[in-house]
Amino acid sequence: MSEAAIGIMDSGFGGLSVWREVQKRLPSENLIYFADSGFCPYGTRPEDEVFGLTHRVIRFLISKGCKLLVIACNTATGVAIQRLRATYDLPFVGMEPALKPASEASKTGVIGVLATENTFKGERFHKNKEIHAAGKELIVQPGYGLVELVEEGKLNGAEAREKLEPLIQPMLEGNVDQLVLGCSHYPFLSKEIKELVGERMNLLDPAPAVSKQVERLIEQYQLANSGDQEPYFKFFSSGDIVALRQFVENNLPEQRTLPKSFEKVLVF
Ligand code: DGL
């Protein structure tokens, strides 16, 4: 039993797609979310910089007593999770593009992957591809401008469509039937993506699988919260805290009534 919180981090709002799944699956758990929006995006920065940014957020979450850490960011997972696991004696859960379920479900044998430039560059992605997508054709596409759209809360409408169309069109032409959302920000664009692809593609968001893994580790390490007290939900940001609050209120409708606190972090 442990009343300590589960810590969840991302470069910005994207990891909230994981937060909502963890909260649904483990409703008694205290959750601390950190949006590193002051330094978003991570996906185009040099690797050592992404490692440094991720490490300081993890240190912050550990200073808050977190019992388990979720790197709800494909980019940061690829760059940092191995070194962080070797450094800290705490369970870590990361995320990576869902190539395995995509390969299993694909009928056309062509899989589309949208992710950040850093995710595609990483060794982790290449291993994932070799192990889980051998024999499949992959159309990989960096999601230029998509993280910025989500950070600005522009999830629907003409601007979102204009950015998405040229990224998705080659996948429609290439007969993709499984589209892997390889950045935690992208599930917030699902509605607009579905408008473009109709029934032709199934969208894969790894967040439910990530939350299952969190549940497994909580059981394995006997870390569950007793549930005697109402859980708390704390949100921190290195960027615009009002924007984070608005994003949470507008885009997590199922969790709208939960009590939440928001705090900007300047130096940590
Ligand atoms: N949300 C992050 C991911 O899953 C990255 C966004 C960024 O580029 O900062 O990859």
Side-chain angles (χ1 to χ4, degrees), residues 37 52 56 107 125 137 242 245:
S37 295
R56 87 198 198 300
K107 296 211 164 50
F125 180 74
E137 186 186 334
V242 177
R245 182 195 286 269

Side-chain angles (χ1 to χ4, degrees), residues 146 149-150 152-164 186-195 247 250-251:
L146 301 185
L149 270 181
V150 174
E152 288 164 24
K154 296 176 180 162
L155 310 185
N156 303 294
E159 199 176 332
R161 215 161 312 136
E162 258 167 46
K163 290 246 158 65
L164 282 163
Y186 303 165
F188 289 112
L189 297 166
S190 289
K191 197 166 161 258
E192 206 58 59
I193 297 174
K194 277 187 192 145
E195 296 267 314
F247 193 93
N250 293 342
N251 300 301

